[in-house]
Amino acid sequence: MGSLLEAGFTHHVWATTRVIEACLDLSDDALQTSIAGTRGPILATLRHLVLSDAFDLFTLTADHAFAIDGEDLSLAEARAAMERNSSGWAAYLSRPLDPDEIVHEVDETDGFERWAPIGFRLAGVLNHGTDHRSQICTALTTLGVEPPKIDVFDFGLAAGRIVEKMPNDSG
C-alpha cells in the first residue's frame, strides 16, 4: 500500500511528462509562444516547472542528484529530469513524514530563506505543477495543438486505477 500522497505525486509527474511530450514536435518559434496571463514562453515555463520540482526534492531530501542547473534544459533533458524526480518523490513519500516538520530553504544565489512545514511544501509542489501545466496547455491551444488530457481522472484511467461506466453501457 502506498502513501496517501502517492497518487497525487505520480499524477504530477505523469501529467508534466505528457505536457513535455506534447511539446517535443513544436518548432523553436512555437516553443517561444507566450500568452498574456501566463508565466511566459512555453519552453521557459516547462524549464521552470521541472527545475522547481527538482529544487523542491533537493530542499526536502538534501540529495544533490536533484540539484540541477538547467537554464538551457532541452525538452529531452526535462523529461529525463522528471523521470528521476518520479523515483525521488516515490522514495521520499514512502517514509514516515510529519506534515508539521519545518523545512528550512536557502537560495544560495541571493540568500532568500523560507521556513515552511512539509505539508505546505508538498501542497505547493502539486499546486505549482497544476498551474503551469494549465498555462502551457492554454498556449498549445492557441497554436492549434490539442493539449494532452492530463487531469487526475485521465491519469487514473491510463494507470488502470480508475474504472468508469457510462449509464448506457451494457457491460
Side-chain angles (χ1 to χ4, degrees):
M1 179 167 160
S3 79
L4 287 172
L5 295 170
E6 178 187 7
F9 278 83
T10 305
H11 165 260
H12 164 71
V13 171
W14 174 86
T16 302
T17 303
R18 297 235 335 155
V19 169
I20 292 168
E21 289 169 354
C23 295
L24 287 173
D25 293 331
L26 296 179
S27 69
D28 290 340
D29 284 345
L31 287 170
Q32 294 309 314
T33 299
S34 185
I35 305 302
T38 66
R39 183 183 187 282
I42 291 171
L43 182 57
T45 303
L46 275 170
R47 285 175 176 154
H48 167 75
L49 174 54
V50 172
L51 293 172
S52 294
D53 198 65
F55 177 77
D56 283 322
L57 268 166
F58 170 69
T59 300
L60 290 166
T61 66
D63 184 340
H64 286 278
F66 302 110
I68 58 175
D69 178 22
E71 279 188 32
D72 297 323
L73 201 67
S74 72
L75 291 175
E77 291 167 331
R79 184 173 49 194
M82 285 309 294
E83 289 171 5
R84 185 173 51 252
N85 292 359
S86 178
S87 60
W89 286 121
Y92 181 74
L93 296 170
S94 71
R95 61 190 207 202
L97 297 174
D98 175 358
D100 296 319
E101 178 185 335
I102 300 296
V103 175
H104 181 211
E105 166 190 346
V106 178
D107 186 330
E108 298 295 332
T109 61
D110 64 8
F112 170 82
E113 295 183 71
R114 175 184 290 140
W115 292 263
I118 288 175
F120 278 77
R121 289 209 66 103
L122 295 177
V125 170
L126 298 179
N127 176 261
H128 186 249
T130 299
D131 185 36
H132 289 312
R133 286 189 301 267
S134 176
Q135 294 173 0
I136 294 164
C137 287
T138 297
L140 290 173
T141 301
T142 66
L143 292 170
V145 175
E146 180 76 24
K149 294 181 183 236
I150 56 170
D151 78 24
V152 74
F153 290 108
D154 292 317
F155 166 68
L157 289 166
R161 302 278 308 271
I162 293 175
V163 175
E164 294 180 343
K165 181 179 183 273
M166 297 303 290
N168 60 355
D169 286 352
S170 60

